[in-house]
Amino acid sequence: MATSAAARMTKAQLFRLSVVLGSIFMILLIIVYWDNVGTTHFYLHTSFSRLHPLGALPTVAQDKDWETLSDVDEFLEKLLSAGLRQNSLSNRQTEQPLPQGSSRPVLGNLEENVRGYDWSTRDTRVSLDQEKLQAERRKMLQEFCANSSFAFPTKERSFDDIPNYELNHLIVDDRHGIIYCYVPKVACTNWKRVMIVLSESLLDQGVPYRDPLDIPREHVHNTSTHLTFNKFWRRYGKFSRHLMKIKLKKYTKFLFVRDPFVRLISAFRSKFELENEEFYRRFAIPMLKLYSNHTNLPTSVSEAFGAGLKVSFSDFIQYLLDPRTEKMAPFNEHWRQVYRLCHPCQIDYDFIGKLETLDEDAAHLLQLLKVDRLLRFPPSYRNRTASSWEEDWFAKIPLAWRRQLYKLYEADFVLFGYPKPENLLKV
């Protein structure tokens, strides 16, 4: 009898011990997950499972496994959704409305001095056609991604096949449930500023920035300022891909694109027509040696410009077409194809903006994200590189090179609905 009672007590104790150990494990997991994430302010007050602003929940493109999440995914999703309603309310209470007036940028940077800002007043009323336009853009992208007869490198791989270092352009804002894939030379400086304001990832004298244009340019492009997907591995280890997929399912994902040839012209203007020490040393010196037969080049960009030694647009095109270029290193982000930066056939974007319709698209997107009362998108540049300049810029580029260049960027033209530049590709 005593032995039986002792056995029951032992079982009860073991049960209580297992409950305690299980609770400790859960607490430790939560602590690890919510561990410090540096300047990104990965808030517990996340809008992780807020109502998605674009209607139906987005999914990871070509990933059928989302219909039945893995156990780990499901566990993490439930864990992270636990206190959602009160957290969402907390966010709304702490967010402040748009400040009256907006400070103008300090034009200390040569590139911004050259460009200048357009401060003219605009009617920011969003067209009723915006939703239809977005539906058309997304449909076109999805159809070409699914079209087996349209092929380009990396198209067929899955999201899991993408190396972490190729996910460094996906910026995450956990406070509002937003993922932005930035494309250099497509208003990315100002969109990064917007993401900093929304995520409160950068402080000015202990206070988060509220006006995007108050944020100094050098901080905008500092990689430590932003939480990007490629940083997940060192923070969350083997859980990183699961977390990425959950965020891709739950968050609103957007990118902005631009006519590929115009983007190349813009990259050339800002990196090789202006004095840029880094780009001179890394790219201009090799180009001048390989394609202009220069030797004994100055070590500094100011000396080179003073001596009239500048990379020509023809040198730049030769560099892009030279098969040796990418054997040395992948294209720099300023001229790397959008499909390689943002993986549009692996990630199902909810919003596709275009620089050609930046003002309308930006206003519509901020409304969809329900942050239009918190900030305005900064004004456009007056000196934006125009598509009408293409013929002048390519006038001295041989026809064969133009056709090769189109093939190199064809996927970006097709996926994002830019017409083939026939006037540049025919005799």
Side-chain angles (χ1 to χ4, degrees), residues 25-26 29 32-33 48 65-66 68-81 160 233 236-247 249-250:
F25 172 77
M26 290 286 289
L29 184 59
V32 168
Y33 180 75
F48 196 91
D65 294 336
W66 274 113
T68 54
L69 289 171
S70 70
D71 291 341
V72 175
D73 289 344
E74 190 171 1
F75 167 71
L76 288 171
E77 184 171 19
K78 288 178 179 177
L79 174 65
L80 298 178
S81 300
D160 286 329
W233 176 254
Y236 310 119
K238 63 183 180 181
F239 289 120
S240 60
R241 285 284 163 157
H242 295 296
L243 290 171
M244 289 180 202
K245 286 183 177 180
I246 291 172
K247 291 177 192 295
K249 180 188 178 190
K250 292 287 187 177

Side-chain angles (χ1 to χ4, degrees), residues 171-392:
I171 298 176
V172 182
D173 166 26
D174 286 295
R175 298 187 75 246
H176 299 87
I178 300 168
I179 296 173
Y180 163 51
C181 184
Y182 73 89
V183 179
K185 310 315 302 175
V186 191
C188 78
T189 299
N190 281 336
W191 277 116
K192 284 182 179 181
R193 284 179 167 131
V194 167
M195 294 295 285
I196 289 171
V197 170
L198 293 177
S199 64
E200 298 187 358
S201 61
L202 191 64
L203 305 180
D204 180 25
Q205 299 180 345
V207 179
Y209 283 97
R210 294 182 62 203
D211 182 351
L213 283 177
D214 285 342
I215 305 170
R217 189 181 180 88
E218 59 270 20
H219 295 329
V220 173
H221 296 296
N222 187 330
T223 55
S224 66
T225 304
H226 306 280
L227 174 62
T228 50
F229 265 9
N230 66 311
K231 295 178 181 177
F232 275 39
W233 176 254
R234 62 176 177 262
R235 288 181 177 147
Y236 310 119
K238 63 183 180 181
F239 289 120
S240 60
R241 285 284 163 157
H242 295 296
L243 290 171
M244 289 180 202
K245 286 183 177 180
I246 291 172
K247 291 177 192 295
L248 288 171
K249 180 188 178 190
K250 292 287 187 177
Y251 286 14
T252 303
K253 305 167 295 297
F254 78 93
L255 79 165
F256 272 73
V257 296
R258 184 180 195 175
D259 180 288
F261 278 4
V262 180
R263 178 172 169 246
L264 287 181
I265 296 169
S266 178
F268 175 80
R269 290 179 69 206
S270 68
K271 301 306 175 187
F272 299 112
E273 289 198 333
L274 300 175
E275 292 188 13
N276 185 310
E277 199 67 50
E278 179 192 357
F279 277 75
Y280 173 73
R281 292 173 184 265
R282 288 181 59 194
F283 303 107
I285 288 178
M287 287 184 206
L288 288 168
K289 287 180 177 179
L290 281 170
Y291 312 119
S292 292
N293 297 318
H294 286 294
T295 56
N296 301 319
L297 290 163
T299 56
S300 74
V301 67
S302 57
E303 291 180 74
F305 274 43
L309 295 170
K310 292 185 179 182
V311 168
S312 69
F313 190 58
S314 177
D315 294 336
F316 179 54
I317 300 302
Q318 286 185 79
Y319 168 81
L320 295 175
L321 298 178
D322 192 331
R324 295 172 294 181
T325 298
E326 290 219 86
K327 288 180 181 178
M328 300 292 291
F331 276 176
N332 178 269
E333 63 178 5
H334 291 85
W335 45 85
R336 195 180 309 163
Q337 297 93 327
V338 175
Y339 76 83
R340 294 171 63 186
L341 295 173
C342 296
H343 319 290
C345 288
Q346 289 75 32
I347 298 173
D348 188 9
Y349 286 92
D350 307 297
F351 189 96
I352 302 166
K354 294 191 174 185
L355 195 73
E356 294 81 3
T357 52
L358 176 61
D359 297 318
E360 299 86 351
D361 288 353
H364 184 48
L365 176 60
L366 293 180
Q367 285 188 3
L368 290 174
L369 296 174
K370 303 188 188 307
V371 297
D372 50 310
R373 293 187 68 250
L374 302 179
L375 52 76
R376 295 189 185 94
F377 188 77
S380 306
Y381 296 126
R382 282 195 307 266
N383 293 358
R384 188 186 297 163
T385 304
S387 57
S388 58
W389 300 2
E390 278 184 332
E391 289 195 32
D392 292 336

